[in-house]
Amino acid sequence: MSQSLETLSPRQLRILERLARDGQLSVEPLAVDFEVTPQTIRRDLGVLCDLGLARRRHGGIERPLGGHNLGHTQRSMLARPAKQAMAAQVVAEIADGASLALGIGTSVVAVAEALIARRGLRVITNNLQVAQALSSHPDVSVQLAEGQLRPRDLDVVGSATVAFFTRHQVDISVLGCGGLDAEGLLDFDPEEAAVSRALLRHARRRILVTDASKWGRAAMCRIGPLTDIDLLITDSPPHASEHQMALTEAEAHSLQVMYRQ
């Protein structure tokens, strides 16, 4: 990319958040919502397309073709207030002295940053940003998984990572995902999905933290059904009726859902 995501304006970042949530955007409604001219919006959309963050369509933009995700630095800039609010709710579910497995994703990093409020934690993770966030915490033990480093995502994955989580049993696992559909949790890479499945299998309680942009988002690899989760913390309910129906059915199987802005 010829320009880093850090150079985007606040309006362009908000447009990118909407695109992640809705899949397609049109110029005229954006111009009305942001109270700027259509020409200004077209320039904004052109910047996103030039960066490969969006794809041009008649009258607006759409998400890039499925099968890939933004890098960690790019993702960390999206929906920050929502992620921080959700992280606070996750931490409220964690007692001092708990053992935790923290997985992949920027929402999980936000949880790690909020864990300063807890003491005596034992944490295992394959997320380098989680380990860094907890490294200065005076009363948290952190064990980092072995595996293949992914510099773009700041994590490790692979068979060694899955085996690492399989050797442990923790009180709570906290994970994110790349997408959610009516069938359950999705991710962009089979190795990411395999790690997340290991986190789900080896925890007494399983918490999924994900913002509303993940509802209906295309990702190729299935992690598991919503019924694999004990608690879902998100910032907004899904828009599509099929997702709402899937949530209702999952809640009938003891899934708890919390919404936090």
Side-chain angles (χ1 to χ4, degrees), residues 184-241:
L185 289 65
L186 302 166
D187 229 321
F188 289 89
D189 182 272
E191 292 187 323
E192 293 179 9
V195 170
S196 292
R197 285 193 292 270
L199 265 70
L200 293 174
R201 286 194 300 266
H202 298 280
R204 298 175 184 89
R205 191 175 187 218
R206 298 143 316 166
I207 300 176
L208 174 67
V209 54
T210 184
D211 65 85
S213 70
K214 306 300 173 60
W215 293 107
R217 191 180 184 196
M220 293 179 61
C221 303
R222 188 158 300 285
I223 297 171
L226 279 169
T227 49
D228 280 352
I229 300 298
D230 299 303
L231 173 61
L232 167 61
I233 294 178
T234 185
D235 58 331
S236 177
H239 298 293
S241 60

Side-chain angles (χ1 to χ4, degrees), residues 112-119 121 123 128-142:
E113 292 169 347
L115 283 174
I116 191 69
R118 294 290 174 263
R119 294 291 182 268
L121 301 178
V123 176
L128 272 63
Q129 289 291 98
V130 164
Q132 183 179 33
L134 294 173
S135 63
S136 59
H137 196 307
D139 199 20
V140 174
S141 167
V142 181

